[in-house]
Amino acid sequence: MSEVAEKTHYTESELAEFEAIIQKKLAATKNEIEFIKRTLSRQDDNGTDNTALGSKTLEDGADMREKERLNQSAGRLGKFATQLEAALIRIKNGTYGICKDTGKLIPAERLKAVPHTQQTIEAKLARQ
């Protein structure tokens, strides 16, 4: 019987496909971060602040909550962008798609869904 060797690395064309996915997600993430920054700095504000005294306090509270929510979103997006950039580095250094825990190849379907992952689903579940 002939044994089929288990695949240990992705081909250049497969890596190019993953890189394209990552670059697309990274560009979208950076665009979203920039949108949040513009929103927080009110660069897109049309200058029509409500100056009515009765609702001003309520609006200030709502504005603070919204700014806090946007800051949290920007933080999460920044972390995601960093993870995507690290995945691009792993592509360049030849370690992309290899589980950091098991050393096995992470299935392509998982990498397409979660391109910054460094673990197989089995390794991830085992750590929880």
Side-chain angles (χ1 to χ4, degrees), residues 10-30:
Y10 284 105
T11 65
E12 290 296 320
S13 64
E14 289 170 322
L15 289 174
E17 182 182 350
F18 293 131
E19 185 173 5
I21 292 168
I22 293 168
Q23 291 286 9
K24 184 177 178 181
K25 285 184 181 262
L26 185 58
T29 300
K30 286 182 176 182

Side-chain angles (χ1 to χ4, degrees), residues 105-122:
L105 204 60
I106 300 169
E109 300 79 32
R110 176 157 168 75
L111 290 171
K112 288 176 183 176
V114 187
H116 60 284
T117 190
Q118 296 183 61
Q119 296 174 297
T120 60
I121 195 70
E122 296 81 12

Side-chain angles (χ1 to χ4, degrees), residues 95 97-104 106 117-120 123 127:
T95 60
I98 301 169
C99 180
K100 67 179 183 176
D101 294 330
T102 65
K104 293 182 179 180
I106 300 169
T117 190
Q118 296 183 61
Q119 296 174 297
T120 60
R127 291 186 103 194

Side-chain angles (χ1 to χ4, degrees), residues 71-82:
N71 273 321
Q72 288 173 345
S73 291
R76 283 190 299 274
L77 288 169
K79 182 178 177 183
F80 182 56
T82 300

